[in-house]
Amino acid sequence: MKRILPVIFMLITSITVFAQEDTRMLKEGRSWKVLEMFCDRPKYETYTVSGDTVINGKTWKKILIDYQRNDHKSSYTTAAYEEDGKLYGLLGDDDPFLMLDFNKQKGDYLYEGVTYGPVVTDVDYITVNGVTRKRITFSESGSDEYICWVEGIGATMAIWSGESALTSHMEYFLECYDDGKLIFSYSDFGRPMSVDGVSQDKTKKSGEKYSINGMKLQNEPEKGIYIMNGKKIRK
């Protein structure tokens, strides 16, 4: 009995720690390094959670965005909030826009309210730097390309898909930090789409349409944001 009790205590402690792991995305001081590519011109961006702001009576987290292309540096601020496993950004000046939904299950489509495009092919858990997080994998029929979302971290591509935070170019996740400490890198997704997975030549072909996550669309979406001829279009 004396030998069994320590084992039971360790098991209960492990379950409690797992249940209490904080997988919020918008932690104060958290930052992301992102690579944006357009016409073979790289732009490096850093997104940092920095303080609060109130929009229409609701508290949002302020997101400071610093970017550099060649010798040019600049910055601007947007906002986001998370609620019930969903991450919202700004669409326009003060309208919330759903960016990531970690409640999606296998078989769900990437786009809300449609039955085409990338679909959830797997939902599992990965442990990186001692923290266990949900991973959602999307793919499209006949394609060997993947998009991954990881709870509390973001996505392999277009981790910030709100109107004010996403350009019409392709963005790729590089690294995520907590107060300057690296907690997640691109390779930690496990099976991400490569940075070369979306050729820049594709965006130059007349009439071809792409989702904000870089996946080619067969049809024009009924609503939402998509990219055509290198330009962002909102319906």
Side-chain angles (χ1 to χ4, degrees), residues 102-163:
F102 289 100
N103 300 301
K104 286 187 179 293
Q105 300 177 4
K106 193 171 182 179
D108 289 345
Y109 284 89
L110 175 64
Y111 308 111
E112 300 294 326
V114 300
T115 55
Y116 61 85
V119 65
V120 177
T121 53
D122 193 22
V123 178
D124 60 1
Y125 290 83
I126 58 174
T127 301
V128 177
N129 292 325
V131 180
T132 301
R133 305 176 186 275
K134 179 189 289 186
R135 178 177 62 181
I136 302 175
T137 303
F138 295 87
S139 186
E140 197 162 12
S141 178
S143 173
D144 58 357
E145 296 177 347
Y146 295 95
I147 294 172
C148 288
W149 294 359
V150 170
E151 190 174 30
I153 296 297
T156 47
M157 295 184 65
I159 62 168
W160 299 95
S161 52
E163 172 80 10

Side-chain angles (χ1 to χ4, degrees), residues 21-35:
E21 285 181 346
D22 189 349
T23 54
R24 289 177 301 151
M25 191 163 173
L26 301 179
K27 288 185 178 181
E28 188 69 20
R30 176 161 292 179
S31 62
W32 295 260
K33 290 186 177 180
V34 178
L35 168 64

Side-chain angles (χ1 to χ4, degrees), residues 2-106:
K2 291 182 179 180
R3 293 181 179 179
I4 296 176
L5 285 176
V7 175
I8 294 175
F9 175 76
M10 290 175 64
L11 179 60
I12 293 174
T13 301
S14 299
I15 294 173
T16 302
V17 170
F18 178 82
Q20 291 180 344
E21 285 181 346
D22 189 349
T23 54
R24 289 177 301 151
M25 191 163 173
L26 301 179
K27 288 185 178 181
E28 188 69 20
R30 176 161 292 179
S31 62
W32 295 260
K33 290 186 177 180
V34 178
L35 168 64
E36 177 189 305
M37 291 295 295
F38 181 66
C39 296
D40 296 325
R41 293 180 300 168
K43 182 174 77 172
Y44 293 92
E45 300 177 324
T46 300
Y47 293 62
T48 304
V49 181
S50 180
D52 298 329
T53 186
V54 176
I55 302 174
N56 291 335
K58 186 177 185 64
T59 300
W60 295 56
K61 299 299 291 185
K62 290 193 295 186
I63 310 297
L64 176 64
I65 303 176
D66 295 301
Y67 67 88
Q68 177 177 354
R69 174 174 283 149
N70 298 326
D71 294 329
H72 177 70
K73 296 181 180 180
S74 188
S75 64
Y76 62 98
T77 301
T78 184
Y81 74 90
E82 52 191 328
E83 188 173 79
D84 299 327
K86 299 179 179 180
L87 179 72
Y88 295 87
L90 281 177
L91 183 63
D93 294 329
D94 55 9
D95 296 325
F97 174 79
L98 179 61
M99 297 193 288
L100 301 173
D101 181 0
F102 289 100
N103 300 301
K104 286 187 179 293
Q105 300 177 4
K106 193 171 182 179

Side-chain angles (χ1 to χ4, degrees), residues 174-225:
L174 295 179
E175 296 170 332
C176 181
Y177 294 80
D178 270 350
D179 295 319
K181 179 182 179 181
L182 179 64
I183 63 168
F184 203 94
S185 61
Y186 189 79
S187 60
D188 292 325
F189 283 101
R191 48 188 176 198
M193 184 178 182
S194 73
V195 173
D196 295 326
V198 178
S199 168
Q200 296 302 309
D201 291 336
K202 290 182 179 180
T203 63
K204 300 176 184 178
K205 294 181 180 179
S206 177
E208 289 192 349
K209 305 174 184 66
Y210 291 84
S211 74
I212 56 177
N213 293 290
M215 302 291 281
K216 185 177 180 180
L217 302 177
Q218 299 300 320
N219 301 297
E220 182 178 306
E222 295 180 3
K223 63 178 181 179
I225 301 172

